[in-house]
Amino acid sequence: MDNSKAGDQKGRPSQPKFPLEKMKATEVRSDDIFLITYPKSGTHWFLKVIKLILNGCDTDAKGTPASEAPLLEMLVSGVEDDPRVQLIKKSHGIAMDFHVNSMESPRLLCTHMNYDRLPTELYEKKPKVIYLARNPKDVAVSAFNHFSKPPLGLYDDFPSFLADFTDGAKEIGNFVSWGSHVLDWWKRRNENNVLYLKYEDMKKDLQSGIKSMAEFIGKDLSPDTIEKIAYHCSIEKMKQHAMDDPMVKAMGWKESPTIRKGQVGGWKTTFTVAQSELLDKCYDEWLKGSGLEFQFE
Ligand code: A3P
């Protein structure tokens, strides 16, 4: 894996390459729970919700460094891989030679990888998969905010980010095409091991979302516990601890990219009319005939 390239003419780093071969070879257990999302779709929000479902809303519970930050891309990367991933791993207290196989069952793992880049055993063992999708305009604004910041610094301006985002074949930080990401799991939404959820529905009614996730995972929660989980996972509550995130500290960010505005429709203050029309056109092409639709406000 070559991460030593100097980057582009402006001196920005080249896009990191996650160790895809290690990802493919990762051992999967049938009692694993996977949270799968395109980046910036609410992953951290849902990780917190699922953790509280699993432990019956014990908000003081402290897991291991790996279970606190269970991003599979990071957990499978080694010293020879992307140095920025190593920085994150180090900041969470996860050893460089850490092996995801040493995590205790049942594991909660998350990943942003496209369907065809997932561990081969995931297709065979069919662990529980919660797929979370978000409308592409809010994803684009949130992702631009994330990928343009140092030390990632992959984009100087929103138009150049949007050009890559709307080009279905371009990789943005190793993730290919929002359209195929959300569709690949939509096609599998009726399989027994898959629960397909949308960010916008969760914003409208988090308690119903928590209830369906708990049923899917096999946890019997009282209405009182569900209400408490929703309270602790509101954007307001999560913002109170946003800057405590070891990754935010390690990166030296002044604002958390993972707990930010947390709105539906925030894209309107960034997109021009022409940019919005361009993405509408791609959206129609990507999702044509699938029955999958998103709310944009
Ligand atoms: P914005 O940048 O639009 O605010 P991820 O965790 O996948 O990186 O996603 C980050 C996005 O999820 C950010 O979106 C963030 O604000 C939003 N988010 C985080 N916690 C949230 C919560 N409790 N409720 C709603 N959105 C939340």
Side-chain angles (χ1 to χ4, degrees):
M1 184 150 323
D2 180 16
N3 291 305
S4 60
K5 287 193 210 101
D8 68 9
Q9 289 166 343
K10 292 186 176 172
R12 288 175 302 204
S14 54
Q15 298 223 13
K17 287 279 168 237
F18 283 125
L20 296 177
E21 64 292 347
K22 284 190 195 165
M23 175 65 72
K24 278 265 139 220
T26 301
E27 202 179 293
V28 171
R29 301 176 194 158
S30 43
D31 61 355
D32 286 338
I33 298 168
F34 275 80
L35 171 64
I36 305 185
T37 63
Y38 186 88
K40 314 319 289 177
S41 301
T43 324
H44 289 75
W45 179 24
F46 267 52
L47 276 177
K48 178 153 185 175
V49 170
I50 300 168
K51 275 180 202 165
L52 292 181
I53 289 174
L54 289 171
N55 71 18
C57 198
D58 178 355
T59 51
D60 296 326
K62 270 265 163 267
T64 61
S67 70
E68 287 296 304
L71 184 68
L72 198 54
E73 291 82 307
M74 174 176 73
L75 296 180
V76 301
S77 72
V79 276
E80 74 280 19
D81 304 317
D82 178 22
R84 286 163 287 193
V85 175
Q86 296 313 317
L87 177 67
I88 303 169
K89 205 164 168 176
K90 212 169 168 180
S91 65
H92 281 87
I94 298 166
M96 292 304 155
D97 60 355
F98 174 81
H99 207 290
V100 69
N101 286 355
S102 61
M103 282 173 81
E104 271 178 35
S105 290
R107 299 180 300 186
L108 167 61
L109 296 167
C110 71
T111 178
H112 299 311
M113 284 290 148
N114 286 72
Y115 183 79
D116 57 1
R117 293 182 169 184
L118 292 167
T120 309
E121 285 195 356
L122 188 138
Y123 315 131
E124 295 153 9
K125 294 199 177 161
K126 295 189 175 287
K128 288 195 164 65
V129 171
I130 295 177
Y131 186 84
L132 173 64
R134 186 184 190 188
N135 84 71
K137 291 183 181 173
D138 282 326
V139 163
V141 172
S142 190
F144 169 66
N145 178 65
H146 183 103
F147 288 110
S148 59
K149 279 188 176 168
L152 295 170
L154 300 177
Y155 295 94
D156 288 335
D157 51 56
F158 187 64
S160 48
F161 170 83
L162 197 63
D164 280 2
F165 189 76
T166 50
D167 176 336
K170 275 266 170 69
E171 292 201 13
I172 299 176
N174 291 274
F175 312 110
V176 197
S177 170
W178 174 90
S180 64
H181 209 294
V182 297
L183 261 190
D184 281 341
W185 283 102
W186 178 249
K187 288 179 200 150
R188 293 169 174 87
R189 70 192 180 283
N190 294 325
E191 293 183 12
N192 288 339
N193 67 317
V194 178
L195 180 67
Y196 197 100
L197 298 171
K198 293 183 200 161
Y199 180 100
E200 295 75 19
D201 295 338
M202 298 300 105
K203 280 290 291 184
K204 258 193 218 139
D205 185 357
L206 184 55
Q207 291 199 32
S208 297
I210 295 170
K211 195 162 177 279
S212 52
M213 276 187 269
E215 279 167 12
F216 177 69
I217 291 169
K219 285 275 168 192
D220 189 15
L221 299 183
S222 67
D224 187 43
T225 307
I226 292 176
E227 199 181 323
K228 272 195 208 143
I229 296 175
Y231 168 77
H232 286 289
C233 295
S234 69
I235 184 75
E236 294 77 21
K237 201 78 191 144
M238 284 184 67
K239 265 185 190 168
Q240 289 173 10
H241 303 287
M243 298 308 285
D244 298 341
D245 184 337
M247 176 166 134
V248 175
K249 288 183 180 159
M251 297 292 196
W253 287 328
K254 301 277 173 280
E255 174 198 58
S256 165
T258 52
I259 301 156
R260 219 172 56 99
K261 297 189 174 162
Q263 298 168 344
V264 180
W267 59 270
K268 288 182 185 170
T269 55
T270 300
F271 275 70
T272 62
V273 172
Q275 287 167 344
S276 176
E277 285 172 1
L278 169 68
L279 192 41
D280 285 343
K281 197 164 158 270
C282 295
Y283 171 86
D284 288 345
E285 276 168 22
W286 289 333
L287 303 190
K288 197 162 81 192
S290 68
L292 177 58
E293 287 177 359
F294 287 86
Q295 280 157 5
F296 289 87
E297 49 196 294

